[in-house]
């Protein structure tokens, strides 16, 4: 049956597959909901979004996504509280960042109302898919790619915006051991590191595989020129605690303006934690570890929220971080997730009811 919700056509599945899903054993991003939102850009304009059953996409072999990599995405979550209400966390920040990425990749910007109304309509339809167990959520993946045809090296004339959703349990468990990268770079000055472009992540996989072979789980990325400055941890922003001061690098055209990163900075300052936003040298981190004043390192991002680092490798040496009874990582993660799951006051106005 087709119905119209705020000009968005909704085509519902005939039979839901939700009863086939084991919600107690959800791996990250591998099970998908019944529906997805699709919106096409054609003839110089975005068409009205529609919601259809989740299904494969058919593309011409000459579609420019395959040849020139015009592809961007966002990562978000929907949360269900004890009253069965559904919440988003700073969704307008994701919408704005999607358009920042679009502009850098020569993709037409998407109207805010298409993003927000489309997302809300989809989530209301998929409400039963949002898990309610501790640490679980509905992961939301909005993305845009070039669907226009042709081998000519130029921006496409057609694009496709999709929102797909995956009920997921906790993203990471336990701490990770990381290798400080000295050869490869995630991004460069004047490049697209600040955009959530698919190619940024493709370029990370090979160096990460090399680190895994050496016994590490992830890579800490350093600057492209000297490899002297710490910039990101895997696909996450990075925080370093030296003594009682929390330090993170400034955003730039090499570093993603992470929404979790911004939230952590605000909450840390609210907690009275000294915060410094400045460049962090590898030598500073190594020396702090040798002196015993390097207390914590952790990644910050949508999927894991906070991912503690247990140790790092650099120049064939390994450095372990101490086990803390009360860490900044656990405090900040709890503050953020309590807001996300509607367990506490949201003094910052970040929570968004669907």
């Amino acid at each position: 049956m087709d119905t119209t919700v705020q000009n968005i056509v909704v085509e519902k599945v005939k039979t839901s597959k939700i009863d086939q899903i084991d919600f107690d054993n959800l791996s990250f991003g591998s099970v998908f909901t019944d529906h997805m939102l699709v919106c096409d850009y054609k003839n110089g304009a975005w068409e009205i979004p529609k919601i259809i059953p989740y299904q494969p996409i058919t593309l011409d072999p000459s579609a420019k996504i395959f040849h020139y990599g015009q592809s961007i995405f966002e990562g978000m979550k929907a949360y269900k509280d004890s009253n069965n209400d559904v919440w988003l966390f700073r969704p307008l920040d994701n919408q704005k960042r999607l358009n920042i990425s679009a502009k850098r990749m020569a993709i037409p910007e998407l109207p805010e109302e298409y993003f927000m109304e489309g997302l809300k309509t989809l989530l209301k339809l998929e409400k039963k898919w949002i898990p309610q167990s501790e640490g679980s959520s509905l992961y939301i993946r909005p993305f845009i790619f070039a669907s226009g045809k042709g081998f000519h090296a130029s921006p496409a004339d057609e694009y496709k915006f999709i929102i797909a959703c995956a009920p997921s349990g906790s993203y990471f468990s336990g701490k990770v051991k990381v290798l400080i990268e000295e050869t490869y770079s995630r991004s460069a000055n004047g490049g697209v590191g600040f955009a959530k472009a698919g190619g940024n992540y493709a370029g990370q996989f090979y160096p990460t595989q090399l680190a895994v072979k050496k016994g590490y789980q992830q890579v800490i990325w350093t600057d492209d020129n000297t490899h002297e400055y710490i910039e990101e941890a895997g696909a996450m922003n990075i925080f370093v605690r030296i003594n009682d001061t929390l330090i993170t690098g400034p955003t730039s055209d090499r570093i993603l303006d992470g929404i979790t990163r911004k939230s952590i900075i605000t909450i840390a300052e609210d907690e009275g934690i000294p915060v410094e936003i400045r460049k962090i040298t590898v030598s500073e981190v190594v020396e702090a570890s040798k002196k015993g004043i390097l207390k914590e390192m952790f990644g910050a991002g949508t999927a894991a929220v906070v991912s503690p680092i247990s140790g790092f490798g650099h120049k064939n040496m390994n450095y372990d971080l101490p086990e803390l009874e009360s860490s900044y990582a656990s405090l900040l993660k709890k503050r953020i997730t309590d807001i996300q799951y509607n367990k506490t006051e949201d003094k910052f106005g970040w929570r968004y009811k669907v």
Side-chain angles (χ1 to χ4, degrees), residues 47-320:
E47 299 177 347
I48 299 297
K50 56 187 177 182
I51 291 173
I52 62 174
Y54 186 91
Q55 60 191 264
I57 303 164
T58 301
L59 292 171
D60 193 279
S62 72
K64 291 199 174 185
I65 175 58
F66 300 132
H67 309 281
Y68 305 114
Q70 277 183 288
S71 173
I72 58 173
F73 70 95
E74 277 296 320
M76 310 170 64
K77 288 179 179 179
Y79 311 87
K80 190 179 283 183
D81 67 16
S82 57
N83 295 320
N84 211 39
D85 289 327
V86 176
W87 302 89
L88 293 166
F89 184 73
R90 306 184 72 167
L92 286 171
D93 286 357
N94 290 100
Q95 183 272 325
K96 291 172 183 173
R97 190 172 63 184
L98 185 75
N99 278 340
I100 289 170
S101 298
K103 185 175 182 179
R104 180 63 182 86
M105 300 302 291
I107 293 171
E109 295 179 40
L110 184 79
E112 178 186 311
E113 61 270 23
Y114 283 23
F115 184 98
M116 291 304 299
E117 294 305 321
L119 177 57
K120 288 189 288 184
T121 303
L122 180 61
L123 291 178
K124 287 173 183 176
L125 186 63
E126 306 289 58
K127 184 174 180 179
K128 290 182 179 178
W129 283 90
I130 306 173
Q132 209 163 4
S133 58
E134 187 74 26
S136 296
S137 59
L138 184 71
Y139 186 79
I140 303 164
R141 173 55 60 86
F143 59 104
I144 303 175
F145 63 90
S147 55
K149 297 180 287 186
F151 291 145
H152 189 266
S154 62
D157 58 358
E158 294 183 1
Y159 297 86
K160 194 175 286 286
F161 169 59
I162 293 177
I163 302 179
C165 302
S168 298
S170 297
Y171 187 59
F172 284 126
S173 58
K175 295 186 176 184
V176 296
K177 191 178 175 185
V178 298
L179 177 66
I180 296 178
E181 183 56 53
E182 299 176 75
T183 303
Y184 297 97
S185 298
R186 176 190 171 274
S187 58
N189 289 332
V192 297
F194 68 92
K196 282 191 76 72
N200 288 348
Y201 298 81
Q204 293 186 32
F205 295 153
Y206 176 65
T208 303
Q209 286 176 340
L210 296 180
V212 169
K213 288 179 181 177
K214 294 178 181 178
Y216 303 92
Q217 285 82 48
Q218 261 302 347
V219 165
I220 288 187
W221 300 104
T222 51
D223 69 287
D224 63 301
N225 187 26
T226 66
H227 295 288
E228 292 177 4
Y229 296 96
I230 282 175
E231 296 200 332
E232 292 200 352
M236 310 176 80
N237 294 118
I238 189 167
F239 285 82
V240 174
R241 176 185 174 184
I242 296 178
N243 285 320
D244 291 332
T245 300
L246 193 62
I247 312 165
T248 193
T251 55
S252 67
D253 55 11
R254 296 190 311 277
I255 298 176
L256 186 73
D257 186 12
I259 294 163
T260 306
R261 171 191 175 275
K262 292 190 287 191
S263 305
I264 283 176
I265 291 168
T266 300
I267 290 174
E269 291 172 341
D270 187 62
E271 288 282 348
I273 294 170
V275 177
E276 293 180 4
I277 302 171
R278 61 170 175 82
K279 290 185 174 182
I280 314 164
T281 64
V282 174
S283 59
E284 179 183 10
V285 172
V286 170
E287 286 304 309
S289 179
K290 289 177 178 178
K291 293 177 181 176
I293 58 174
L294 178 65
K295 302 295 181 64
E296 294 180 69
M297 294 172 68
F298 56 86
T302 298
V305 185
V306 170
S307 182
I309 293 169
S310 62
F312 66 91
H314 180 246
K315 293 190 182 299
N316 298 315
M317 293 286 292
N318 284 312
Y319 301 86
D320 294 323

